[in-house]
Amino acid sequence: MSILKSFFRSREKPTNQSLTSPTRFLFGQTTAGKVVTEQSSMQMTAVYSCVRILAEAVAGLPLHFYQYQKGGGKEKALEHPLYFLLHDEPNSEMTSFVFRETLMTHLLLWGNAYAQIIRNGKGEVVALYPLQPERIQVHRDEQKEIYYLYTVENGKQVKLPKTEVLHILGLGFDGLVGYSPIAMAKNAIGLAIATEEYGSKFFANGANPGGVLEHPGTLKDPIRIRESWNATFGGSSNAAKVAVLEEGMKYTPISISPEQAQFLETRKFQINEIARIFRVPPHMVGDLEKSSFSNIEQQSLEFVKYTLDPWVTRWEQAMTKALLTPDEKKEYFIKFNVDGLLRGDYQSRMNGYATGRQNGWMSANDIRELENLDRISDEEGGNLYLINGNMLPLKDAGAFANTKESEEENDEILEVEESEGSESRLERGSPRANSLSQWANR
């Protein structure tokens, strides 16, 4: 079986083509009077910022392909072809960062991310290409097997079996297709678009609200007068001009001011509302009103735990399900490394390392690897595990003090301190003396 041809084209001309999908009814006109789609929502700075933060965070995490060790633990499966595809280049036109960033953007806007799996004659995965989520539909055949219909450039639909598609889905109602966060929150985003547009028009009109020109008599050409007024005093470049009214004309504003409409408060609330949709801390989208040096670090840790971890788990399980055979799942696994994002400040890390080092569950190389430092050789004690010498098992507490031999050991210790050359005497002494001699010769 030859390698299948990919439907992905990196230089494909962008189009506005979209298919009727199960979530399409959720898009369209909002209560604020604005049409919200995946593309139009990205024009909102808050939406763009949240999508970029999450997409870059997932794309920037180290992604490794591991193999279980027989004695326990794990090691990187560097020789497996999937390691290079996931960690470096999923295809000849993309890096791993760009590939994951693209799919994560699809996942955040459409609720689904798809990639075509290219295999060689042996059935091994040799490439992954992203598919446009608005062009794909999920169906079941007569045997209840899932398949995907993908619309290519000429409008033709191609049927893809589930073994040729990597599908990462977001929150949904049936476990087969995710629902778009943009569609589910279209009214909140529509209100944000409406308030932003209102502010733009307000300043475009010279920061002056609309009003009425009143004339005591009858005007022969009111349209000409209105156009002349707008041309003279409309726009931000004409702001603060002095108006001269003739023939008893009077200008009366009729619109409420932005302060009365709580324009700024509404815009600020909608930014927090959009950040809430994507579960992004407000300080990460530029709202520092309720943030301080004492709580920003905690919010950042909660962002990793409650926001990134669920997305990362979706990625790991979807890739394991689609890319590994049943036998490989018993031997290999895919894992994102989020430890770097969970690290605290320098002082907190050093205190934690000191605790691990002194209690014997971290070596110097374990610590240096976490800090991205070069390893130390075994001759220099890089893999040596140490523990404090004053710690004993609970069952041995007081054992030496309750024996007569302990008194003899104390006498011998005094002799060692008072006299030099007593090594021969210590050799005939107790095990305690021997242990002291061994410690002194280290």
Side-chain angles (χ1 to χ4, degrees), residues 73-121:
K74 63 182 186 298
E75 63 179 357
K76 296 177 181 177
L78 300 177
E79 302 300 325
H80 198 285
L82 273 179
Y83 186 92
F84 178 78
L85 290 179
L86 298 177
H87 185 267
D88 299 294
E89 296 180 12
N91 57 69
S92 60
E93 300 177 350
M94 285 182 168
T95 62
S96 179
F97 183 97
V98 174
F99 175 78
R100 284 182 277 156
E101 182 184 45
T102 302
L103 260 63
M104 190 63 190
T105 302
H106 294 170
L107 191 54
L108 293 169
L109 294 179
W110 280 271
N112 297 274
Y114 305 93
Q116 184 185 3
I117 303 174
I118 307 297
R119 303 178 187 270
N120 60 14

Side-chain angles (χ1 to χ4, degrees), residues 66-210:
Y66 290 101
Q67 183 177 17
Y68 294 108
Q69 293 180 333
K70 293 183 178 180
K74 63 182 186 298
E75 63 179 357
K76 296 177 181 177
L78 300 177
E79 302 300 325
H80 198 285
L82 273 179
Y83 186 92
F84 178 78
L85 290 179
L86 298 177
H87 185 267
D88 299 294
E89 296 180 12
N91 57 69
S92 60
E93 300 177 350
M94 285 182 168
T95 62
S96 179
F97 183 97
V98 174
F99 175 78
R100 284 182 277 156
E101 182 184 45
T102 302
L103 260 63
M104 190 63 190
T105 302
H106 294 170
L107 191 54
L108 293 169
L109 294 179
W110 280 271
N112 297 274
Y114 305 93
Q116 184 185 3
I117 303 174
I118 307 297
R119 303 178 187 270
N120 60 14
K122 299 179 181 179
E124 299 173 340
V125 180
V126 296
L128 297 169
Y129 288 93
L131 299 173
Q132 295 297 326
E134 72 273 16
R135 296 186 180 184
I136 199 164
Q137 293 178 316
V138 185
H139 297 281
R140 285 187 185 272
D141 58 19
E142 297 178 354
Q143 287 74 32
K144 305 301 181 181
E145 291 291 334
I146 295 176
Y147 69 92
Y148 300 86
L149 282 181
Y150 188 71
T151 303
V152 294
E153 299 175 7
N154 58 6
K156 181 181 177 181
Q157 288 188 332
V158 179
K159 182 178 179 180
L160 296 173
K162 64 179 182 180
T163 56
E164 296 181 9
V165 177
L166 167 62
H167 181 193
I168 308 170
L169 62 151
L171 180 66
F173 298 154
D174 57 4
L176 299 178
V177 178
Y179 280 76
S180 168
I182 303 300
M184 303 301 289
K186 67 174 184 178
N187 285 327
I189 298 173
L191 179 57
I193 294 175
T195 54
E196 185 178 70
E197 184 176 322
Y198 170 80
S200 301
K201 291 182 177 180
F202 177 74
F203 286 102
N205 291 325
N208 291 320

